[in-house]
Amino acid sequence: MNGPGTAHDARRYFALPSPFRMKRGGELHGASVAYETWGELNAARDNGLLILTGLSPSAHAASSVDDPAPGWWEGMIGPGKAIDTTHWFVICVNSLGSDKGSTSPASIDPASGEPYRLNFPELALEDVAEAAHATVNSLGIEQLACLIGCSMGGMSALAYMLLHPGGARAHISVDTAPQAQPFAIAIRSLQREAIRLDPRWDEGRYDIHAQDGDRYPDIGMSIARKLGVITYRSAMEWNGRFARIRLDPEQRDDDPFGREFQVESYLEGHARRFVRHFDPNCYLYLSRASDWFDIAEYGNGSVHEGLQRIRIERAMVIGVSTDILFPLEQQEQIAKGLEAAGATVDFVALDSPQGHDAFLVDIENYSRAIGGFLDRLGAD
Amino acid sequence: MNGPGTAHDARRYFALPSPFRMKRGGELHGASVAYETWGELNAARDNGLLILTGLSPSAHAASSVDDPAPGWWEGMIGPGKAIDTTHWFVICVNSLGSDKGSTSPASIDPASGEPYRLNFPELALEDVAEAAHATVNSLGIEQLACLIGCSMGGMSALAYMLLHPGGARAHISVDTAPQAQPFAIAIRSLQREAIRLDPRWDEGRYDIHAQDGDRYPDIGMSIARKLGVITYRSAMEWNGRFARIRLDPEQRDDDPFGREFQVESYLEGHARRFVRHFDPNCYLYLSRASDWFDIAEYGNGSVHEGLQRIRIERAMVIGVSTDILFPLEQQEQIAKGLEAAGATVDFVALDSPQGHDAFLVDIENYSRAIGGFLDRLGAD
């Protein structure tokens, strides 16, 4: 947390071309993208490394002088770390449609002077990719040395490379998928339904800036987040971590059927930290964009053919065996497709117990893989 | 559906001893258990076979003259089927606490003349087992030839055998667990939370017999059921069955963020068939009882020791590799424990793609296993 009177914020903003035309037909006027950077762009402008994020993280991937708070990938990015900021010029972009600084359903629609809410145009991950690409270009970078995409950001990265052949020399794909499978669609659909069915969502007309008060879909957001956390981790990790340990009596709530086991308290903690810190309409738009993304659209209905249209020199594709949301087979599919497209591909199957979230938690193994790949890349 | 004027109902009722004392301290007065039977008890009274059900099924496991509607295990039970009613006297009991005829939170509390609702005493699966055992005894059966338990009913069956050594000669354990692991607890906790957070649950005071009208927690029940269905099936099955097939435009709903993919429509259909057909308070009680059950309580904190206290001659333990709610390792644990207790145990690991629900769907493989085991048992 920042101290009183201070305003630590390392975000910069890029004004997108206006109008910014979107894949599914809408357009935005006066839209912008928030981003942060670490390290310095070299004279050849060939050490740029872009990170595209999962659904909820901001552009604040790591601390900096301007914002010393730890970022969401703090263990991975910095001087001497796997993504070494003494070598790479690292950029992290807040996805278009997210409320962490970029234009989103929570932003003011210049046409009405009111927040967009559900008047925001239909959002696709291709739009997220185009907004990121325009931001990178605005920094004087024609070709990224490496494009890293994590989770939903991995799908955005595939879109980036498809839409901009030659836009990246190398790619690191982290815990992602070339298309959403029905299990992931079912989970996300149920998360969206929990929010939409909350009467306080009110067709998107809740109080966006509610800090307290009840005009906000806390219940729906809480259920959506807990379901997310359940699918982001793994049963195996929880067997070791929580087993059947019960809460102390004073930690239990008094509600009938209230919390009794540690795992229930863990989920509650996650929900509390999220519910009022991510805009519900933004969640709906980004969640649906994740379901819509399908690289097979670019390959005559074939994932493999779609991936073959990507032109890069090298790639590393990382997945974990305990991921139930983006199963390892999908990462293998990406690796095979990029290889068939002519790239030199390292496929890394980790057995981290943490499930989909392993990339945020098992920093040791992810650092070894990503750091090794980037070191070889930088040595060329 | 039954025709007008007909009342097909094969249920019989057993009045439990009154008061019926429950594991966690409460008691019921004038309680009863609904059950159905198929086949005939032989003169030696040694061909009794009891089926204990999962959380939501009724005692109507199969059709009969009195109720020709197909039962929930119709493919498994009948003349010449795996559970052959020309040989076995088959009993299926509606769990105490379920609203399909047995005394439950939806029943009238004789003390108040009103439904119990949350005044129903705390329910444990040991109570479900005791009520079933008393029902079996009332039919003149001291020892079951075989006790079959499916899903939650498998835990009730373990309780039955622990509390009544010699109560069954053989046991078939189907897709169950010796205790709930944290992943299963997390899923069930979230299902309960969805119901409890629905304002129309109203602390259990909704309109129990609502056929329409809005004093009923439809939203919470719908979310709970969809989450159930997601965890009862498997991602693998859905990849083949739904892939990314979209609904025809006329099948979509008009809501923003409404259904678009077939898998979403499938979940919606399941929810619609369930929401007003299972009492929400009963759901809460049985769900929590499932979390509470822990055979380690009977083995000084050890599952293996708890299982070793069960005295049976033979057992078959069946599980499927795609079950995420009751993972195969837990069935293996049961098999090893019963074997260490001295039983002859067949462990059957199926690779049915249907997940936890395989026992209801993959009748071919379950018939072969269960039928084979019962044939060998009957030949002795």
Side-chain angles (χ1 to χ4, degrees):
Chain A
M1 304 298 284
N2 299 332
T6 64
H8 292 305
D9 192 340
R11 282 178 295 187
R12 291 195 278 162
Y13 297 87
F14 168 64
L16 289 167
S18 187
F20 178 78
R21 297 190 203 284
M22 297 170 78
K23 184 193 178 196
R24 295 174 68 96
E27 57 184 40
L28 294 171
H29 295 262
S32 61
V33 170
Y35 65 97
E36 295 192 24
T37 68
W38 301 262
E40 300 294 334
L41 185 61
N42 62 15
R45 299 175 180 272
D46 66 359
N47 70 331
L49 184 155
L50 173 67
I51 299 169
L52 295 175
T53 78
L55 192 151
S56 61
S58 70
H60 190 58
S63 59
S64 60
V65 174
D66 290 337
D67 186 350
W72 59 265
W73 226 8
E74 187 71 21
M76 191 67 75
I77 304 165
K81 295 183 183 173
I83 301 175
D84 189 343
T85 52
T86 62
H87 185 85
W88 305 105
F89 175 58
V90 179
I91 310 151
C92 184
V93 161
N94 181 231
S95 301
L96 187 71
S98 161
D99 69 340
K100 304 299 174 228
S102 295
T103 297
S104 78
S107 304
I108 299 297
D109 177 357
S112 68
E114 298 289 325
Y116 283 104
R117 304 182 187 273
L118 303 196
N119 292 321
F120 198 77
E122 289 187 343
L123 178 73
L125 294 185
E126 284 85 345
D127 305 317
V128 173
E130 288 292 17
H133 180 261
T135 306
V136 166
N137 276 6
S138 78
L139 295 168
I141 299 169
E142 285 295 313
Q143 185 181 53
L144 292 163
C146 189
L147 171 57
I148 301 181
C150 307
S151 187
M152 183 193 86
M155 299 195 283
S156 307
L158 292 175
Y160 189 110
M161 295 183 292
L162 274 168
L163 298 171
H164 297 284
R169 282 205 312 279
H171 172 49
I172 302 178
S173 169
V174 181
D175 297 10
T176 193
Q179 63 177 192
Q181 286 184 338
F183 180 82
I185 292 174
I187 293 287
R188 283 194 286 256
S189 172
L190 192 52
Q191 292 174 309
R192 293 193 296 271
E193 185 165 359
I195 296 169
R196 291 162 55 220
L197 289 178
D198 187 329
R200 288 174 179 154
W201 176 60
D202 191 19
E203 304 293 321
R205 292 186 297 260
Y206 55 88
D207 179 3
I208 287 177
H209 302 290
Q211 288 305 308
D212 39 42
D214 63 3
R215 289 194 44 232
Y216 191 92
D218 296 272
I219 291 174
M221 285 293 282
S222 177
I223 292 173
R225 181 57 171 177
K226 289 184 178 183
L227 181 53
V229 172
I230 289 173
T231 54
Y232 297 155
R233 310 301 287 219
S234 89
M236 188 206 295
E237 182 205 10
W238 286 2
N239 288 342
R241 184 168 173 187
F242 301 117
R244 291 180 53 83
I245 300 171
R246 282 177 161 80
L247 294 168
D248 296 332
E250 66 271 18
Q251 293 174 298
R252 299 189 188 181
D253 51 33
D254 290 335
D255 288 345
F257 301 96
R259 288 184 295 283
E260 175 173 347
F261 293 93
Q262 270 197 358
V263 68
E264 295 177 281
S265 177
Y266 165 82
L267 291 176
E268 182 67 20
H270 269 281
R272 283 198 188 151
R273 288 191 296 277
F274 187 77
V275 164
R276 297 259 175 162
H277 297 279
F278 200 88
D279 180 72
N281 290 335
C282 292
Y283 192 93
L284 294 173
Y285 272 85
L286 288 163
S287 165
R288 186 174 55 174
S290 301
D291 283 356
W292 278 339
F293 182 72
D294 185 1
I295 205 162
E297 283 179 14
Y298 300 88
N300 301 313
S302 154
V303 166
H304 193 68
E305 279 186 42
L307 286 161
Q308 282 193 62
R309 295 187 48 183
I310 290 177
R311 294 282 162 268
I312 47 167
E313 296 166 19
R314 288 187 185 193
M316 167 171 274
V317 182
I318 313 178
V320 291
S321 56
T322 53
D323 189 339
I324 58 173
L325 205 56
F326 294 81
L328 197 54
E329 304 85 70
Q330 292 200 284
Q331 281 98 51
E332 206 172 348
Q333 231 181 346
I334 295 174
K336 285 183 178 165
L338 294 179
E339 197 160 60
T344 305
V345 180
D346 297 337
F347 176 54
V348 181
L350 296 173
D351 55 4
S352 318
Q354 296 94 348
H356 180 65
D357 266 0
F359 74 100
L360 297 171
V361 186
D362 184 5
I363 295 296
E364 187 184 339
N365 280 308
Y366 278 78
S367 276
R368 188 178 304 126
I370 291 173
F373 180 80
L374 289 176
D375 285 350
R376 292 191 295 279
L377 207 62
D380 284 357
Chain B
M1 303 300 283
N2 299 329
T6 64
H8 292 307
D9 192 341
R11 282 177 295 187
R12 291 194 279 162
Y13 296 87
F14 169 64
L16 289 168
S18 186
F20 178 78
R21 297 191 202 284
M22 296 170 79
K23 183 193 178 198
R24 296 175 67 98
E27 57 183 41
L28 294 172
H29 296 263
S32 60
V33 169
Y35 65 97
E36 295 192 24
T37 67
W38 301 261
E40 300 293 333
L41 185 62
N42 62 16
R45 297 176 182 274
D46 67 358
N47 69 332
L49 184 154
L50 172 66
I51 298 169
L52 295 175
T53 78
L55 193 151
S56 61
S58 71
H60 190 59
S63 58
S64 61
V65 173
D66 289 337
D67 186 350
W72 59 265
W73 226 7
E74 186 72 22
M76 191 68 74
I77 304 165
K81 295 184 184 174
I83 301 175
D84 188 344
T85 51
T86 62
H87 185 86
W88 305 104
F89 176 57
V90 178
I91 310 151
C92 184
V93 161
N94 182 230
S95 300
L96 187 70
S98 161
D99 69 340
K100 303 297 172 232
S102 294
T103 298
S104 78
S107 304
I108 299 296
D109 177 358
S112 68
E114 298 287 326
Y116 281 104
R117 302 182 187 273
L118 303 196
N119 292 322
F120 197 77
E122 288 188 344
L123 178 74
L125 294 186
E126 284 85 345
D127 305 317
V128 173
E130 287 293 17
H133 180 260
T135 306
V136 166
N137 275 6
S138 78
L139 296 169
I141 299 169
E142 285 295 314
Q143 185 181 53
L144 292 163
C146 189
L147 171 57
I148 301 182
C150 307
S151 188
M152 185 194 84
M155 300 195 282
S156 307
L158 293 174
Y160 189 110
M161 296 183 290
L162 274 167
L163 298 171
H164 297 284
R169 283 205 312 282
H171 172 49
I172 301 178
S173 169
V174 180
D175 297 11
T176 192
Q179 62 176 192
Q181 287 184 337
F183 180 82
I185 293 174
I187 293 287
R188 283 193 287 255
S189 172
L190 192 52
Q191 292 173 309
R192 294 193 297 271
E193 185 166 357
I195 296 169
R196 292 162 55 222
L197 288 178
D198 187 329
R200 289 175 179 153
W201 176 61
D202 191 20
E203 304 295 320
R205 293 185 297 261
Y206 55 86
D207 179 3
I208 288 177
H209 301 291
Q211 290 303 309
D212 41 43
D214 63 3
R215 289 193 46 233
Y216 192 91
D218 297 272
I219 291 174
M221 285 293 281
S222 176
I223 292 173
R225 181 58 172 176
K226 289 184 178 185
L227 181 52
V229 173
I230 289 173
T231 55
Y232 298 156
R233 310 301 288 219
S234 89
M236 188 205 297
E237 181 204 10
W238 287 2
N239 288 343
R241 184 167 171 187
F242 301 117
R244 291 179 54 81
I245 300 171
R246 282 176 161 82
L247 295 167
D248 296 331
E250 68 270 17
Q251 293 174 298
R252 300 189 187 180
D253 51 32
D254 291 334
D255 287 345
F257 301 95
R259 287 184 296 282
E260 175 173 346
F261 292 94
Q262 270 196 358
V263 68
E264 296 176 281
S265 176
Y266 166 82
L267 292 176
E268 181 67 21
H270 269 281
R272 285 199 186 151
R273 288 190 295 276
F274 186 77
V275 163
R276 297 259 174 160
H277 297 278
F278 200 85
D279 180 72
N281 289 335
C282 292
Y283 192 93
L284 294 172
Y285 273 84
L286 288 163
S287 166
R288 187 174 56 175
S290 301
D291 283 356
W292 277 340
F293 182 73
D294 185 3
I295 206 162
E297 283 179 15
Y298 301 87
N300 300 311
S302 154
V303 166
H304 193 68
E305 279 186 40
L307 286 161
Q308 281 192 62
R309 295 187 49 183
I310 290 177
R311 294 283 163 265
I312 47 169
E313 296 167 20
R314 291 187 183 190
M316 167 171 274
V317 181
I318 314 178
V320 289
S321 56
T322 52
D323 190 338
I324 60 173
L325 205 56
F326 294 80
L328 197 56
E329 305 84 72
Q330 292 200 285
Q331 281 99 50
E332 205 171 351
Q333 234 181 343
I334 295 174
K336 285 182 177 165
L338 295 178
E339 198 161 59
T344 304
V345 180
D346 296 336
F347 175 55
V348 180
L350 296 173
D351 55 5
S352 318
Q354 296 94 348
H356 180 65
D357 266 359
F359 73 100
L360 297 172
V361 186
D362 185 5
I363 295 297
E364 185 183 341
N365 279 308
Y366 279 77
S367 277
R368 188 177 305 128
I370 291 173
F373 180 81
L374 289 176
D375 286 350
R376 292 191 295 279
L377 206 64
D380 283 358

